[in-house]
């Protein structure tokens, strides 16, 4: 892929003193918890097996190391935590497992070759407990994944559905961090022509997944799980009062006094971008200790990350320097301690 051009942003990360970075709100030592990684090795494998055609894939799947590092240096990102992407509607169990194996090995190799710059989540598959448990054991135990990634929904079944209990029980035993993301949102007649789903439907899918985790009792049954909601948590922080007021209309009912506790079971990333007008609502709902920096690269192009979204966070009038430092780095280090110690590893 031709490297994307970056606009002027934060100074490059290389050689930055950690103490100096802390004094600068960690703007030169960010941890990016929202980085989409489609391994070139996986595309080679998928094309060889007639699963995808390279030229038909969306542009954001053409991930390459040079562009990734250029983006990271331009945006002041010290470490990117990769969500391992695999496209295609694979259903045959053996092929799905091979697909995951290829993608995970590529992520692990990348972490090993660039220590401190990358870490990764291992994927779980909401429609396949067996494949998910294999991915958790292989990705976390063998390859060193720092957490797991999960879609907010698969074919209309949302994260937190009782059919996923075997997966969630295993993750609860591990006190796992689960990074969530929408992909294929329910559409049909509900689609608005000319409006791509990432603009608003992704936010609704994230909100529905969070509510599913609440009303299905998932957060109560699995108290050791921590979930990262993308794009500022969708609409959840902004409808918190509505959930409190109308919780008695949910099935099962949600007591108003529990809503704020539930909201603090989630972390919320800044990918999107998160506008200054939205920050006060998020701060009011959960406070600065639950917010993480996310670039959403490469679906969000480099020039937007370095020229729009990262500067918007750095100049947000709702945040002080202490809060900014926690969002940029410290919260992620607390949530994923391996990132703070540099003990991420590849196979």
């Amino acid at each position: 892929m031709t490297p994307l051009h970056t606009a002027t942003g934060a100074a490059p990360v290389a050689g930055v003193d950690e103490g100096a970075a802390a004094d600068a709100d960690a703007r030169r030592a960010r941890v990016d918890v929202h980085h989409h990684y489609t391994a070139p090795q996986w595309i080679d494998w998928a094309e060889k097996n007639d699963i995808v055609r390279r030229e038909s894939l969306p542009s954001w799947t053409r991930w390459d190391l040079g562009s990734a590092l250029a983006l990271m240096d331009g945006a002041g990102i010290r470490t990117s935590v990769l969500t391992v992407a695999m496209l295609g509607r694979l259903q045959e169990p053996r092929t799905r497992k091979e697909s995951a194996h290829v993608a995970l090995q590529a992520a692990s190799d990348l972490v090993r070759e660039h220590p401190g710059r990358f870490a990764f989540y291992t994927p779980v598959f909401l429609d396949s407990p067996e494949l998910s448990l294999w991915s958790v054991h292989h990705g976390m135990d063998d390859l060193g994944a720092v957490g797991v990634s999960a879609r907010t929904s698969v074919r209309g079944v949302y994260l937190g559905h009782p059919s996923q209990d075997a997966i969630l029980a295993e993750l609860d035993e591990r006190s796992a961090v689960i990074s969530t993301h929408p992909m294929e949102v329910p559409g049909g007649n509900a689609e608005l022509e000319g409006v791509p789903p990432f603009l608003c439907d992704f936010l609704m899918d994230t909100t529905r997944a969070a509510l599913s985790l609440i009303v299905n009792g998932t957060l109560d049954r699995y108290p050791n799980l921590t979930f990262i909601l993308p794009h500022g948590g969708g609409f959840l922080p902004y409808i918190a009062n509505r959930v409190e007021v109308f919780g008695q209309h949910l099935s099962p009912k949600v007591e108003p006094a529990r809503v704020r506790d539930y909201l603090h079971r989630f972390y919320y990333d800044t990918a999107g971008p998160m506008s200054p007008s939205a920050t006060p609502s998020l701060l009011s709902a959960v406070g600065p200790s639950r917010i993480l920096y996310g670039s959403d690269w490469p679906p969000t192009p480099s020039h937007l990350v370095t020229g729009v979204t990262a500067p918007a966070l750095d100049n947000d009038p709702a945040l002080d320097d202490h809060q900014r430092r926690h969002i940029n780095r410290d919260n992620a280090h607390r949530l994923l301690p391996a990132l703070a110690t540099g003990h991420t590893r590849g196979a």
Side-chain angles (χ1 to χ4, degrees), residues 132-307:
S132 295
L133 294 176
W134 171 84
S135 180
V136 169
H137 286 282
H138 182 56
M140 299 187 78
D141 299 337
D142 300 336
L143 302 181
V146 297
V148 305
S149 60
R151 292 188 181 183
T152 48
S153 69
V154 173
R155 292 189 290 276
V157 177
Y158 280 88
L159 183 63
H161 189 273
S163 63
Q164 303 152 16
D165 278 353
I167 305 170
L168 296 172
E170 170 69 23
L171 295 173
D172 188 69
E173 287 289 325
R174 296 168 175 267
S175 298
V177 173
I178 305 174
S179 176
T180 66
H181 201 283
M183 184 60 69
E184 298 177 1
V185 299
N189 294 329
E191 287 187 358
L192 180 60
E193 185 177 357
V195 179
F198 68 78
L199 189 64
C200 59
D201 294 292
F202 274 18
L203 304 182
M204 179 57 73
D205 212 60
T206 297
T207 307
R208 287 175 171 172
L211 292 173
S212 172
L213 290 166
I214 293 172
V215 300
N216 280 303
T218 309
L219 301 182
D220 293 324
R221 293 198 310 279
Y222 304 114
N224 300 317
L225 295 178
T226 303
F227 297 86
I228 301 174
L229 301 179
H231 315 123
F235 303 122
L236 183 65
Y238 320 115
I239 63 168
N241 288 337
R242 291 176 63 85
V243 179
E244 289 175 326
V245 171
F246 297 115
Q248 297 297 309
H249 295 273
L250 301 175
S251 181
K253 297 177 180 179
V254 175
E255 294 298 324
R258 297 295 312 280
V259 171
R260 297 291 162 167
D261 293 336
Y262 287 137
L263 263 63
H264 280 82
R265 288 290 302 280
F266 302 110
Y267 279 78
Y268 306 77
D269 78 34
T270 65
M274 197 173 75
S275 68
S277 63
T279 308
S281 296
L282 187 54
L283 290 173
S284 175
V286 299
S289 67
R290 311 300 289 188
I291 307 173
L292 304 166
Y293 174 75
S295 73
D296 207 358
W297 188 81
T300 299
S302 292
H303 70 278
L304 291 181
V305 175
T306 58

Side-chain angles (χ1 to χ4, degrees), residues 50-65:
D50 296 323
I51 294 168
V52 300
R53 295 179 59 192
R54 190 182 306 262
E55 63 272 15
S56 299
L57 292 173
S59 60
W60 59 264
T61 64
R62 298 181 181 94
W63 191 98
D64 76 272
L65 178 61

